[in-house]
Amino acid sequence: MACVAAVAVLTGCSMEEAVCGGGEYPVLTIGGTGAACVPNGEEPPEGYTRYPEGKVPQHVGDKWDTYWQTHTVDEHGKVVEVPEGG
């Protein structure tokens, strides 16, 4: 494990798990907390939308990944809290 950590430090790699792979960007379900990854250059599929600018999760468990577990974007594009149990 120490070797893996040393390689990560030397190469500048992060030990954090990226939300999406290279060549993809994350999208959010409209009205829910589900998410998916879409290839760069493609539009989100029906029922999904892009995250608001500046509020895009980059790594699993980061500030915005955690935030979007309790918030969503409604059908009008407004950021709202997800109803409890929703």
Side-chain angles (χ1 to χ4, degrees):
M1 186 66 173
C3 291
V4 172
V7 170
V9 170
L10 293 174
T11 62
C13 296
S14 173
M15 296 300 284
E16 297 174 309
E17 183 179 353
V19 171
C20 291
E24 298 178 316
Y25 68 94
V27 294
L28 175 69
T29 55
I30 297 170
T33 58
C37 294
V38 175
N40 290 341
E42 291 187 18
E43 289 299 314
E46 187 173 337
Y48 288 82
T49 188
R50 294 175 189 267
Y51 286 93
E53 190 172 334
K55 297 181 179 183
V56 181
Q58 300 297 315
H59 297 96
V60 175
D62 73 10
K63 171 184 173 180
W64 293 116
D65 184 49
T66 302
Y67 176 84
W68 292 110
Q69 292 174 20
T70 58
H71 293 78
T72 191
V73 175
D74 69 14
E75 64 276 4
H76 304 291
K78 181 179 175 186
V79 175
V80 296
E81 271 193 71
V82 175
E84 201 167 311

